Amino acid sequence: AFLATTDVAFIRSEINGRRSRRIVLFAFFCADAVGGGLWAFWCENGAPGRPTVPQEAQDTEHAQACRSFGVNHYLLWGTGIPLEGLVLFLAGRDPWSFWSDAWLLPVWMVRLGLLDVLLWNVPPQILVGDALWFSVIAVMCRVHSLVLWILVAFEVASLMLALGEGGLVDIFAFDHVRYGMYSVAMLIIMAGAYFLDEQTRLQSFGQVMSLQDQNA
């Protein structure tokens, strides 16, 4: 009776939690679409003047945050979001396959390395926020622990690069300790805990399948 009411793929998907990956990816896509739209609007229409901030500083901030390879920001947003949506759609078609993780990893690495660090040169505070956001999405998607470790290693490298470009070469500077050392430790601890959680889920799957064999 137990065998007749269970399926290996169903049990595995329920234990590893990947059945909800499509919902998570849709939420991630919506957040990116909204964020990209706000970025394009701010860059194309400009921000209202702030009397307390020198005009030169405002111009520098706008130029740095709105780099777009010389392309209109709305056009870049209108092209990039559907492309990202296609990649996320491919990743969500078969959430249990290896290729689902393989589609997701480049999306996060391009966002961090190409856009945040190389193109926009965002401050460490924002980079830490993006790194945590991508890590949360990766955990909610239940990616393989190896994929999460690769993502964390890339996030750490991006943080070190951002801190170096910001002139924070003093390892005892507060920003270096807060956004460098602490953030790196936090990401590594999170990845380690995720690996242990994954092993626990694998053990649970093995125990359930053993019970199924016994009931058969």
Side-chain angles (χ1 to χ4, degrees):
F2 185 81
L3 180 63
T5 57
T6 58
D7 177 78
V8 174
F10 173 76
I11 293 174
R12 184 176 182 181
S13 66
E14 287 299 316
I15 291 177
N16 66 27
R18 285 197 174 188
R19 287 177 60 85
S20 61
R21 174 172 289 198
R22 294 168 184 167
I23 300 175
V24 175
L25 292 181
F26 179 72
F28 177 73
F29 172 77
C30 291
D32 264 13
V34 172
L38 291 173
W39 170 78
F41 174 80
W42 187 84
C43 291
E44 287 295 326
N45 295 277
R50 291 170 289 174
T52 57
V53 180
Q55 186 61 42
E56 183 179 355
Q58 295 185 45
D59 294 340
T60 302
E61 178 188 41
H62 187 274
Q64 181 174 320
C66 297
R67 293 174 184 167
S68 60
F69 307 104
V71 181
N72 178 274
H73 297 88
Y74 285 118
L75 178 61
L76 187 62
W77 172 65
T79 304
I81 288 300
L83 181 60
E84 180 180 324
L86 175 61
V87 174
L88 296 179
F89 171 77
L90 293 175
R93 288 186 64 185
D94 187 5
W96 302 275
S97 71
F98 163 80
W99 291 106
S100 181
D101 288 356
W103 279 111
L104 290 176
L105 191 57
V107 173
W108 298 322
M109 295 176 73
V110 168
R111 281 285 307 277
L112 280 173
L114 178 61
L115 299 183
D116 282 359
V117 177
L118 298 180
L119 184 61
W120 296 327
N121 192 24
V122 299
Q125 299 92 321
I126 297 178
L127 191 60
V128 168
D130 285 348
L132 291 176
W133 168 238
F134 297 148
S135 296
V136 167
I137 294 297
V139 170
M140 293 179 67
C141 285
R142 287 294 172 187
V143 299
H144 193 281
S145 58
L146 178 60
V147 173
L148 184 61
W149 274 107
I150 294 174
L151 176 62
V152 166
F154 192 82
E155 290 171 345
V156 170
S158 300
L159 275 171
M160 294 299 101
L161 183 60
L163 288 169
E165 289 182 352
L168 297 177
V169 294
D170 182 6
I171 62 173
F172 296 107
F174 177 76
D175 282 350
H176 199 290
V177 173
R178 173 63 181 86
Y179 301 111
M181 297 180 183
Y182 175 70
S183 297
V184 168
M186 179 173 51
L187 290 170
I188 292 176
I189 291 172
M190 178 269 300
Y194 183 80
F195 172 77
L196 295 176
D197 176 71
E198 183 180 68
Q199 298 307 306
T200 301
R201 288 173 177 269
L202 286 175
Q203 292 179 4
S204 299
F205 176 71
Q207 292 172 358
V208 171
M209 296 312 300
S210 177
L211 291 173
Q212 185 181 29
D213 293 338
Q214 294 176 13
N215 282 271

